[in-house]
């Protein structure tokens, strides 16, 4: 079976939870210390979907391969047309186009919903795979916050990248 990207469902929560748990335990990019349980991950998915944002899953050869979602960048109404993205790929499957497929589908879904900017908050400048993925899709470096988080016994920098969606800033939002 080929690589497919589809809308996530509650049935995906166990696989999403397992992948996220690995990220929390082994890496710094989540900035979380404690692994959330499946109930918490299901609630997080519901919050994203209830907010009208896309939440996607990739399958390769019929098996869970990763997930991606967009959520609100900030709560204040002025930010309502800006989203923040998250993309996670099963470690053994990285480098096979799964992240790119998820990113393209996520961008398409956000543009279809009328969002105008997408922000990537990338944990650590050494996360070159994520930075390259975002660059491939037209994200540009906005800046690096130095030492704003602490995890695994060290201070962490955070890379901020941005990409225009749809009409971007060339026209006001349609709901204005």
């Amino acid at each position: 079976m080929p690589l497919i990207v589809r809308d996530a469902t509650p049935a995906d929560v166990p696989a999403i939870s397992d992948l996220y748990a690995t990220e929390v335990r082994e890496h710094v990019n989540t900035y979380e210390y404690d692994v959330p349980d499946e109930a918490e991950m299901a609630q997080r998915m519901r919050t994203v979907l209830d907010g009208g944002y896309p939440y996607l899953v990739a399958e390769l050869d019929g098996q869970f391969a990763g997930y991606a979602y967009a959520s609100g960048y900030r709560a204040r109404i002025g930010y309502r047309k800006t989203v923040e993205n998250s993309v996670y790929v099963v470690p053994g499957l990285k480098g096979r186009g799964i992240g790119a497929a998820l990113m393209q589908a996520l961008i398409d879904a956000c543009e279809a919903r009328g969002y105008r900017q997408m922000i990537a908050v990338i944990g650590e400048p050494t996360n070159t795979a994520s930075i390259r993925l975002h660059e491939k899709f037209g994200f540009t470096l906005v800046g690096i916050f130095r030492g704003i988080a602490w995890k695994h016994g060290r201070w962490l920098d955070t890379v901020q990248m941005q990409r225009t969606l749809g009409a971007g800033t060339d026209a006001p939002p349609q709901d204005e």
Side-chain angles (χ1 to χ4, degrees):
M1 296 178 78
L3 174 65
I4 63 162
V5 176
R6 60 171 175 76
D7 291 335
T9 70
D12 296 310
V13 169
I16 289 168
S17 296
D18 286 346
L19 175 51
Y20 192 74
T22 300
E23 293 294 324
V24 171
R25 281 191 303 268
E26 297 178 15
H27 304 286
V28 298
N29 302 325
T30 66
Y31 294 90
E32 292 200 62
Y33 283 26
D34 300 319
V35 174
D37 63 16
E38 284 186 23
E40 172 62 21
M41 293 301 287
Q43 179 56 49
R44 291 180 187 188
M45 178 189 283
R46 277 191 301 276
T47 299
V48 168
L49 294 172
D50 289 349
Y53 302 105
Y55 204 122
L56 308 170
V57 163
E59 292 180 349
L60 181 63
D61 298 327
Q63 298 297 312
F64 176 82
Y67 70 102
Y69 63 91
S71 58
Y73 177 66
R74 296 284 184 265
R76 292 188 176 98
I77 193 162
Y79 292 111
R80 73 189 179 284
K81 294 299 177 180
T82 300
V83 293
E84 181 178 333
N85 72 1
S86 293
V87 178
Y88 294 94
V89 176
V90 171
L93 299 177
K94 291 181 179 178
R96 297 178 67 182
I98 296 161
L102 283 164
M103 182 71 80
Q104 185 63 64
L106 190 63
I107 289 167
D108 293 346
C110 288
E111 286 182 331
R113 288 167 169 82
Y115 293 109
R116 300 296 185 87
Q117 300 292 327
M118 185 175 279
I119 306 298
V121 179
I122 300 169
E124 285 287 278
T126 58
N127 189 348
T128 55
S130 184
I131 292 169
R132 282 194 306 268
L133 174 66
H134 285 85
E135 288 172 340
K136 177 180 177 178
F137 285 91
F139 285 78
T140 57
L141 178 67
V142 175
I144 300 173
F145 291 114
R146 305 283 178 198
I148 65 167
W150 175 266
K151 187 172 177 183
H152 294 317
R154 63 188 175 100
W155 287 106
L156 305 173
D157 297 341
T158 301
V159 176
Q160 301 278 305
M161 298 182 81
Q162 181 177 355
R163 181 196 194 280
T164 297
L165 299 173
T169 58
D170 291 339
Q174 291 181 334
D175 61 354
E176 276 291 306

